[in-house]
Amino acid sequence: GQQVMQIPQYQHVQEGEDFTTYCNSSTTLSNIQWYKQRPGGHPVFLIQLVKSGEVKKQKRLTFQFGEAKKNSSLHITATQTTDVGTYFCSSAGGANNLFFGTGTRLTVIP
Amino acid sequence: EAGVAQSPRYKIIEKRQSVAFWCNPISGHATLYWYQQILGQGPKLLIQFQNNGVVDDSQLPKDRFSAERLKGVDSTLKIQPAKLEDSAVYLCASSSRQGEVRGYTFGSGTRLTVV
């Protein structure tokens, strides 16, 4: 399956600071999906990016897909305590099943 | 729309015992997935079903893991015999069409502890 690496593995931010997580692949990705998993919870779908250079926004969250479709980022502006959790990127394999990255665990300090 | 239902929520067993998990996907979702999530890691695909047929089970440890979806709706995942390293959360997910990935809906998972 396709491998996607995420950095950083952990991030602690003060409430109100911005946060960015990066997802990288050595191969071209057909699409990328982002999920959020709250502590003790299950992954929840956030968004899918398909086009080269695509940028999508959801309130304070901005998602980008690289021009070469080998990397992606999730940026959160002015973090809130409700943003706490692990953010996973994932890419579709040959049968359109998803392979998940290692995740970035975000801690927001009030 | 009802979500993906999984049971049990928690399970503790001794090594070498057997265990089974159940999943009922969202109504009408033809594709069903079982993922294993070890603490601190991302979910790892175990098996994918399209209706009642297996699409991908390349990462399923078939010497001890088995899964079925006999009527193309709910599914069971079994481990026999369990090992300590099987301790993980087992997540079931479903999606509406195999060729149109619009995001999976995950169940709450079954947390398995093997002692």
Side-chain angles (χ1 to χ4, degrees):
Chain A
Q2 299 199 28
Q3 298 275 343
V4 286
M5 303 299 295
Q6 276 186 261
I7 54 170
Q9 190 174 1
Y10 304 95
Q11 184 78 61
H12 296 244
V13 299
Q14 205 72 38
E15 187 173 18
E17 292 182 336
D18 293 355
F19 160 76
T20 304
T21 175
Y22 301 90
C23 183
N24 298 296
S25 170
S26 57
T27 59
T28 302
L29 304 171
S30 57
N31 61 55
I32 199 148
Q33 295 190 357
W34 285 91
Y35 288 78
K36 176 184 178 181
Q37 186 172 26
R38 293 182 183 274
H42 56 274
V44 174
F45 174 74
L46 294 177
I47 208 158
Q48 174 173 272
L49 305 172
V50 178
K51 300 176 183 176
S52 169
E54 189 170 13
V55 178
K56 288 188 177 180
K57 293 191 175 184
Q58 289 180 352
K59 297 182 180 178
R60 296 178 294 103
L61 277 61
T62 302
F63 304 84
Q64 289 189 308
F65 203 6
E67 293 289 342
K69 300 182 74 172
K70 289 185 176 181
N71 55 70
S72 180
S73 65
L74 158 59
H75 179 82
I76 302 178
T77 304
T79 55
Q80 300 175 359
T81 54
T82 53
D83 296 325
V84 165
T86 301
Y87 292 84
F88 292 99
C89 64
S90 61
S91 65
N96 267 335
N97 44 46
L98 289 182
F99 292 88
F100 284 79
T102 48
T104 296
R105 181 177 295 181
L106 172 65
T107 301
V108 179
I109 304 164
Chain B
E1 167 179 86
V4 176
Q6 285 190 250
S7 67
R9 191 77 172 88
Y10 304 94
K11 191 74 176 178
I12 300 174
I13 62 172
E14 295 183 349
K15 60 184 179 183
R16 291 187 289 274
Q17 284 188 324
S18 302
V19 65
F21 314 124
W22 174 83
C23 172
N24 192 9
I26 290 175
S27 178
H29 278 194
T31 312
L32 183 149
Y33 314 82
W34 282 101
Y35 280 84
Q36 179 194 58
Q37 187 173 25
I38 293 172
L39 186 65
Q41 299 182 16
K44 170 191 165 187
L45 179 69
L46 293 176
I47 191 167
Q48 176 187 357
F49 291 95
Q50 177 72 10
N51 297 310
N52 61 349
V54 175
V55 175
D56 185 350
D57 64 356
S58 57
Q59 298 188 83
L60 187 73
K62 298 181 187 61
D63 58 333
R64 297 183 301 106
F65 286 64
S66 64
E68 59 184 15
R69 194 185 184 199
L70 293 176
K71 296 182 180 179
V73 181
D74 55 351
S75 174
T76 55
L77 175 69
K78 297 179 182 177
I79 307 175
Q80 181 180 9
K83 293 185 175 181
L84 295 176
E85 58 260 36
D86 297 332
S87 294
V89 175
Y90 290 85
L91 294 162
C92 179
S94 69
S95 64
S96 57
R97 277 164 56 175
Q98 180 185 359
E100 188 175 43
V101 182
R102 292 184 180 275
Y104 294 2
T105 302
F106 282 87
S108 298
T110 296
R111 184 176 298 276
L112 173 67
T113 302
V114 182
V115 298

